[in-house]
Amino acid sequence: MKPVKRVEFIVDAHEVDNLLASLAKINIRSYTVIKEAYGNGERGLRGGDIFSNTFDNSYVLIACTDEEALAIVEKVRPILKSLGGMCLVSDAMWVIH
């Protein structure tokens, strides 16, 4: 196994492309996006509307080095501050196969 940082985002579905474009500028190109994430948070109940994507969230997962995690956080902090959303950074182990 290999130690990595796990960086997770919950952001408005309409902002995913902006987030990924910002990450590409710092050479982060490996990620997973799960659409239609839903839950309850500081902006109330979000997602789960089958008729419109107006209040949908998306989940973005990145496994990276410590240095990349720091660069990601600094790059996206202004985006999160202005648009909302959540970012979590934690330690993880990548299973090498």
Side-chain angles (χ1 to χ4, degrees):
M1 290 191 291
K2 174 184 173 183
V4 294
K5 288 294 186 185
R6 178 184 180 127
V7 182
E8 301 169 274
F9 294 96
I10 303 292
V11 295
D12 187 289
H14 296 105
E15 297 302 327
V16 171
D17 289 338
N18 291 336
L19 175 67
L20 297 178
S22 293
L23 295 174
K25 291 178 184 176
I26 56 171
N27 208 28
I28 303 296
R29 302 186 190 285
S30 297
Y31 51 81
T32 299
V33 176
I34 301 173
K35 297 181 178 184
E36 299 178 9
Y38 66 93
N40 192 28
E42 66 184 30
R43 294 186 290 166
L45 189 60
R46 305 275 298 177
D49 183 354
I50 62 171
F51 299 110
S52 106
N53 294 337
T54 305
F55 298 109
D56 280 353
N57 285 327
S58 291
Y59 171 86
V60 180
L61 170 67
I62 301 166
C64 59
T65 66
D66 292 347
E67 294 79 19
E68 289 172 324
L70 289 172
I72 290 168
V73 168
E74 290 307 311
K75 185 70 174 177
V76 301
R77 183 174 277 142
I79 296 169
L80 294 173
K81 187 173 184 168
S82 68
L83 300 175
M86 179 174 64
C87 175
L88 299 173
V89 179
S90 57
D91 294 323
M93 296 297 287
W94 189 316
V95 177
I96 305 296
H97 57 284

